[in-house]
Amino acid sequence: MRLKLCLISALLLSLAISANAQNNEPWYHSTTIYQIYPRSYYDSNGDGIGDLPGIIQKLDYIKSLGYETIWLSPFYKSPQVDFGYDISDYTDIAPEYGTLADAQKLIDETHKHGMKIVFDMVMNHTSDQHPWFKESMSSRTNPKADWYIWADKPNHWSSQIRGTGWHYCKERNQYFWASFLPFQPDLNYRNPAVKKAMFDACRFWLAKGVDGFRLDMINSIYKDSLLRNNTASRRAVARSPETKKYRSTIKGSLNQPETFEFAKELRAVCDSFGDRMLLGEVYGTHPVVKEFLGGQKNNGLGLVFNFEMLRFHYNAKYFSKLVANLEKDFPAPYSPVYVFSNHDRRRSMKRLKDDMARAKLLHVFQLTTRGVSCMYYGEEIGMSDLQIPYKDALDPIGQKYKKVPRWLSELFDETLNRDDLRTPMQWDNSANAGFSTSAKTWLPVNPNYMQINAKTEVKDENSLLLEIQALLLLHKRNKVLHDGSLELIPKQPHGVLAYKRKLNDQEVIVILNFSKKPKEVKLSGTPNSLYQIHKTDKYDAGTVHLSALGAMILGK
Ligand code: GLC
């Protein structure tokens, strides 16, 4: 570790640059994001549930690791059927998480720690317990009668998790549309009052200083105005014949052109408060994704997730293709988002077969590519999924599907019980992994916490946590890693991925060996070693020697 830090210091001295101080790119185009699922992060009052004061207590930890931005999954008032993704009041806090004053304190304290904070905005739907929906469903004539999507007869669209998205309401003798689960009715953005109400909710938080939003299911905001059946497939997310993979297409309930305009309007709302981030949950590929970014003018969301990589294959060929596609489809000033874990899909560690060495290499890749890196809480210590039986599932998806239907496994992979990947953060090796003093935590703690926990890893010079800390520091302090261009270096030995980051006269070369065999790579010039995973990775007289799963970052 000392070696790594000393190399980093050398780099800092040689480049002596403070990130983003001298460029016009918005800060969020190259930030590093740490996603927190509040319910599972830190329980400050002993009720078995994580809360906002708990997050405030852990800001020093997040800061010490070097993340620049925190994204919080929802903590607004909610019946918690989908654990906050079903909101019943956008400008209040669920009591188990704290108060409005705690939210304000969290924003202010994050800023005092020199970090940014973005909240999750669930605009597509509310909870069915939201007063807007209660009113809307009460009759066909009430003032909010058309705040949601109502039809006399369902069309053939299916919800994003299969099955019809139309649900009968006897008070109106009509059906309402829900893109996700039945208790999450979709709002009707064709009514200007709805848009205004939701933009006002955003303004409420922007005025409190929040640095932007992650936008839940933003691709579903508008539906076809005539609710016409889809011509080809019922599926909201259709299978593309060319790629044999799921891709977003223009369907009646997804990716409507009005949604692209909506993205621009929301950008304008944010811009009126300064430089605020918008990060959209938009699965799919070019060119639909580009529309969300604002097309040629790039005046839309600014950032979108590419969820293909949550199901990554761990080999050089896969990552090389991923980078090549992103660089081709989203060249600067667009900025790709690299994400390998979140609160909906298997943790990357599970996919890596719980192999720390593989995880280290994955994160060298993630933190040296061009764009934004987004990590899920616990990813920094190598937390893995805990298999919780479907019969005990609290997650509404886990409850709905007792096992993964084959068609859905392509989207969600092997688990549909998202509880598995939302277990409490593993802080130390005391009871409940130091997450809570309660006898019972809302989800069980993964028993591997005795070995996998933050406190142990801080002291272990070979830990993933210290590796990520060193990489975040390297990334943070070096403008070339923040803002430099990226070019793949072709013709590498089998299993090796190499690329160059360049900014003016600064150049950094990254060489990653995804294979289990040592590799040698020829490199011209006399680059300085800036970083390596293993002591045995070295540059010597024109050749880079990499051990199995080794990596080097070299500067010129
Ligand atoms: C998004 C969220 C997921 C939630 C769903 C409904 O996909 O990431 O957690 O269940 O939307 O809001």
Side-chain angles (χ1 to χ4, degrees), residues 192-475:
V194 172
K195 195 178 351 177
K196 178 169 184 318
M198 198 54 85
F199 283 0
D200 282 349
C202 293
R203 288 189 186 99
F204 174 87
W205 292 111
L206 290 165
K208 290 191 178 299
V210 75
D211 296 291
F213 303 105
R214 176 262 186 191
L215 301 165
D216 191 71
M217 288 180 59
I218 194 73
N219 52 359
S220 315
I221 288 280
Y222 280 87
K223 297 2 108 167
D224 175 55
S225 58
L226 301 173
L227 305 179
R228 285 169 291 200
N229 280 333
N230 297 329
T231 43
S233 161
R234 281 161 197 260
R235 283 182 180 160
V237 185
R239 195 182 253 275
S240 143
E242 323 91 73
T243 61
K244 299 254 189 339
K245 282 203 178 129
Y246 281 94
R247 293 187 120 186
S248 305
T249 52
I250 306 221
K251 294 274 157 192
S253 53
L254 202 67
N255 298 335
Q256 294 295 298
E258 293 90 334
T259 316
F260 309 143
E261 290 311 308
F262 182 89
K264 291 179 196 158
E265 286 175 59
L266 189 54
R267 157 67 38 225
V269 170
C270 284
D271 286 350
S272 70
F273 286 83
D275 217 7
R276 311 291 170 105
M277 168 196 268
L278 287 176
L279 167 54
E281 188 192 26
V282 179
Y283 42 84
T285 46
H286 186 72
V288 168
V289 168
K290 199 141 191 179
E291 293 297 338
F292 281 102
L293 295 171
Q296 290 305 325
K297 289 198 179 145
N298 190 16
N299 57 352
L301 298 185
L303 295 171
V304 294
F305 283 118
N306 174 329
F307 283 148
E308 190 207 326
M309 57 185 97
L310 287 169
R311 307 188 68 242
F312 63 88
H313 297 278
Y314 193 76
N315 61 62
K317 201 167 155 201
Y318 173 86
F319 289 119
S320 160
K321 202 161 163 219
L322 179 70
V323 171
N325 286 341
L326 288 171
E327 289 299 317
K328 174 165 73 63
D329 294 340
F330 305 104
Y334 303 100
S335 211
V337 180
Y338 285 85
V339 59
F340 299 113
S341 287
N342 74 7
H343 63 292
D344 288 330
R345 309 289 163 91
R346 273 212 178 298
R347 281 181 175 271
S348 60
M349 202 57 187
K350 186 76 188 168
R351 219 174 283 282
L352 295 169
K353 303 194 168 57
D354 294 310
D355 182 337
M356 286 286 186
R358 296 173 113 211
K360 284 182 180 177
L361 189 63
L362 179 74
H363 294 301
V364 178
F365 169 71
Q366 184 179 30
L367 287 163
T368 54
T369 44
R370 187 182 69 81
V372 172
S373 331
C374 186
M375 286 186 214
Y376 185 45
Y377 80 95
E379 200 171 347
E380 74 277 18
I381 55 171
M383 267 176 71
S384 196
D385 295 3
L386 173 68
Q387 222 132 43
I388 298 173
Y390 279 96
K391 68 173 177 45
D392 299 333
L394 300 181
D395 173 28
I397 305 267
Q399 290 175 351
K400 182 173 161 77
Y401 295 100
K402 303 290 175 229
K403 68 179 178 73
V404 187
R406 234 190 52 190
W407 70 272
L408 207 56
S409 69
E410 293 189 47
L411 269 181
F412 282 85
D413 211 13
E414 314 84 23
T415 186
L416 268 185
N417 183 6
R418 297 174 297 176
D419 294 348
D420 293 6
L421 37 119
R422 296 172 176 178
T423 58
M425 172 67 185
Q426 296 164 207
W427 292 107
D428 56 38
N429 56 13
S430 67
N432 291 332
F435 160 71
S436 167
T437 53
S438 165
K440 193 170 182 311
T441 54
W442 83 280
L443 281 178
V445 175
N446 191 322
N448 74 7
Y449 77 90
M450 295 301 284
Q451 295 80 42
I452 312 279
N453 65 69
K455 194 172 171 195
T456 305
E457 292 198 28
V458 167
K459 289 191 225 128
D460 172 4
E461 65 167 23
N462 290 316
S463 69
L464 178 61
L465 181 134
L466 290 190
E467 180 82 24
I468 286 178
Q469 184 184 47
L471 285 164
L472 281 164
L473 183 64
L474 191 76
H475 181 270

Side-chain angles (χ1 to χ4, degrees), residues 42-113:
Y42 186 62
D43 170 15
S44 72
N45 60 357
D47 63 359
I49 296 174
D51 46 49
L52 300 187
I55 298 171
I56 296 171
Q57 287 184 38
K58 295 297 180 183
L59 288 174
D60 286 345
Y61 166 80
I62 303 166
K63 173 72 182 171
S64 75
L65 290 177
Y67 292 100
E68 295 167 17
T69 301
I70 297 172
W71 150 33
L72 287 191
S73 283
F75 47 80
Y76 315 98
K77 208 162 165 212
S78 156
Q80 308 291 348
V81 187
D82 192 10
F83 298 105
Y85 285 94
D86 49 333
I87 298 171
S88 56
D89 187 343
Y90 287 82
T91 55
D92 205 355
I93 310 295
E96 59 266 55
Y97 296 140
T99 60
L100 268 177
D102 292 328
Q104 184 67 63
K105 189 167 173 205
L106 177 57
I107 296 171
D108 297 343
E109 287 296 317
T110 306
H111 289 160
K112 279 190 205 146
H113 280 73

Side-chain angles (χ1 to χ4, degrees), residues 320 324 486-494 496-500 509-511 520-523:
S320 160
L486 186 152
E487 198 185 309
L488 286 167
I489 310 175
K491 300 204 177 85
Q492 296 304 320
H494 183 73
V496 173
L497 172 64
Y499 44 89
K500 201 184 280 177
I509 291 174
V510 183
I511 309 183
E520 289 187 354
V521 175
K522 294 272 172 250
L523 205 63

